[in-house]
Amino acid sequence: MNIQFRESSEAASPLTAKTAIADCDIHPARATRTELYPYLAKRWQHHLDIYGVHAYQGMMEGPPYPKAQPNASRRDAYPPEGGPQGSSLSFMQKQLLDPNNVQLGVLNPLNTGQGIRNHELSAALCSAINDWQIDKWTSKDKRLKASIVVGNEDGLSAAAEIRERAGDKNFVQVLLLSRNVEPLGQRRYWPIYQAAEEAGLPVGVHAFGFGGNPITPSGWPSYYIEEMVGHSQCQQSALASLVLEGVFARFPKLKMVMIEAGFGWAPSLAWRLDKAWQRLRSEVPHVKRPPSEYIREQVWWTTQPMEDPERREDLFDVINWIGWDRLLFATDYPHWDYDEPSRVLPAGVSETNREAFYFGNARKLYGLA
């Protein structure tokens, strides 16, 4: 993949080796197809051996451009010992964690079994992924923290998985995807939010997934660039659903993290929701305050892909509306659109906001010392 980047005409914000980094979107990968088998019952190992391509891989390859494939990751991220990018802890330490002084790395596994219509299989795979995250990653490097992966289309079993993992310090959030059978505010997903709120865990909504529908509301796109830009559309639909279905009003302590879909669209979405709510609020009496208030109080945003307007002031205007305390730095390692920590933040940011951006906000959100 030959990607060209626009070079910024402005200097980057100063970043030294002493700057602590929280990387809130790292994608660990499995080195082999059978790496999960030790965490799966024999029934499911047998099932995957016989039906795996159709029932497992085929379902997760529904989107026309599945980003979990090797050609969507950095070509320099292949581990020297072999395996796909992101599958080696030692190489991740050497290439990402150590040189960038990453003191907190949040793992968001993809291709996990979320969204599979066989709910028992989905639950088994998600539970195996959670065990695998501990054994291969978080138990071997205390800087890394895992996300609880759940079979999201079965809210009750997903809630049970959250409660089983609650209190385990290896996990700092619950992971959902933005493309599902229904918009995320629907009641089938409420048990997930209730369990997460009870456990005091944020819910991360990551781009991707497959609910059987195209990424656009008007049909399937032709190009990869449309797929990539469409992730922000999916996140907007998910967020609007969460607000208007009353999820934030019903679960006032729930914290949501919108992951890998940008954040520049947040103010305009909030403004439009507020305007419509002023005229149509009788339809949604459970939404008792302007939608923007719920968004600004209960939603955080990872920065990758970082917005890159021509004028630096435009970026700062957006961030000032969202709040410097609501941004979580992320690299998206090992994917091709990785954000380099030393280049992502323009100059002119105060030391307080810079520290919050790179580390403080994540430490506070995830309740870490």
Side-chain angles (χ1 to χ4, degrees):
M1 184 176 291
N2 183 18
I3 303 296
Q4 294 183 348
F5 296 93
R6 177 170 66 86
E7 293 292 341
S8 175
S9 60
E10 298 178 292
S13 181
L15 191 67
T16 70
K18 295 182 179 180
T19 300
I21 299 292
D23 187 346
C24 295
D25 190 25
I26 299 173
H27 297 296
R30 300 192 292 279
T32 66
R33 184 184 69 84
T34 59
E35 191 168 289
L36 281 187
Y37 278 27
Y39 313 102
L40 288 167
K42 291 292 185 182
R43 168 196 174 185
W44 296 120
Q45 296 179 32
H46 183 66
H47 183 105
L48 293 177
D49 286 340
I50 297 177
Y51 307 106
V53 172
H54 176 71
Y56 179 39
Q57 290 180 316
M59 182 61 69
M60 298 312 292
E61 291 172 0
Y65 299 104
K67 194 176 178 181
Q69 300 304 310
N71 62 1
S73 293
R74 292 169 49 173
R75 292 181 179 177
D76 67 345
Y78 281 103
E81 67 267 34
Q85 302 98 314
S87 63
S88 167
L89 173 60
S90 61
F91 193 60
M92 182 185 291
Q93 291 166 331
K94 179 180 179 181
Q95 188 173 49
L96 174 70
L97 303 181
D98 296 341
N100 292 300
N101 194 22
V102 174
Q103 297 299 306
L104 167 64
V106 180
L107 302 177
N108 291 316
L110 301 178
N111 197 19
T112 59
Q114 289 181 296
I116 291 179
R117 300 300 187 268
N118 182 334
H119 291 174
E120 286 186 275
L121 173 60
S122 179
L125 286 168
C126 290
S127 181
I129 285 284
N130 293 332
D131 289 336
W132 167 81
Q133 288 186 86
I134 296 174
D135 282 358
K136 182 173 180 177
W137 303 96
T138 62
S139 66
K140 293 181 170 59
D141 192 320
K142 296 304 181 183
R143 294 172 293 184
L144 296 177
K145 298 294 181 181
S147 297
I148 302 175
V149 178
V150 296
N152 51 291
E153 299 300 351
D154 183 357
L156 293 179
S157 69
E161 180 73 12
I162 294 169
R163 292 188 172 101
E164 181 178 341
R165 307 285 178 174
D168 187 333
K169 298 303 182 182
N170 287 289
F171 297 95
V172 294
Q173 71 179 1
V174 176
L175 184 64
L176 300 179
L177 299 175
S178 60
R179 301 174 68 175
N180 303 278
V181 169
E182 294 182 285
L184 279 175
Q186 295 290 329
R187 296 189 180 217
R188 67 187 297 158
Y189 306 116
W190 285 14
I192 298 173
Y193 308 136
Q194 180 178 352
E197 184 185 57
E198 290 172 357
L201 292 170
V203 174
V205 179
H206 195 287
F208 303 105
F210 185 59
N213 301 306
I215 197 168
T216 80
S218 54
W220 294 99
S222 300
Y223 303 107
Y224 180 69
I225 188 173
E226 294 178 270
E227 179 84 7
M228 293 298 294
V229 173
H231 293 311
S232 62
Q233 301 174 36
C234 283
Q235 292 278 33
Q236 290 180 68
S237 297
L239 185 54
S241 175
L242 288 162
V243 172
L244 297 177
E245 293 285 351
V247 170
F248 293 131
R250 185 177 183 86
F251 304 106
K253 295 182 180 180
L254 181 67
K255 299 175 182 178
M256 305 289 294
V257 184
M258 311 306 284
I259 306 172
E260 201 177 315
F263 56 86
W265 47 265
S268 61
L269 174 67
W271 296 334
R272 184 168 294 275
L273 284 172
D274 281 359
K275 184 175 181 179
W277 176 81
Q278 290 170 4
R279 292 160 174 78
L280 303 172
R281 58 192 298 179
S282 61
E283 185 189 20
V284 286
H286 47 276
V287 183
K288 300 186 181 301
R289 296 186 289 144
S292 62
E293 293 187 14
Y294 295 105
I295 292 173
R296 296 175 85 167
E297 291 176 8
Q298 293 181 247
V299 179
W300 281 252
W301 317 80
T302 64
T303 58
Q304 195 284 332
M306 187 70 177
E307 314 296 359
D308 191 21
E310 294 292 336
R311 296 192 328 133
R312 179 187 65 181
E313 292 77 11
D314 294 337
L315 173 62
F316 289 170
D317 285 345
V318 170
I319 295 178
N320 286 334
W321 186 93
I322 292 174
W324 281 95
D325 61 336
R326 288 299 189 267
L327 292 182
L328 309 173
F329 173 71
T331 65
D332 192 32
Y333 181 87
H335 291 155
W336 66 264
D337 48 351
Y338 166 91
D339 274 353
E340 169 63 39
S342 65
R343 295 175 58 84
V344 73
L345 196 61
V349 179
S350 72
E351 179 64 24
T352 298
N353 287 338
R354 191 171 66 88
E355 189 280 332
F357 175 91
Y358 280 116
F359 189 74
N361 295 338
R363 178 174 59 185
K364 183 177 181 181
L365 174 66
Y366 295 122
L368 302 174

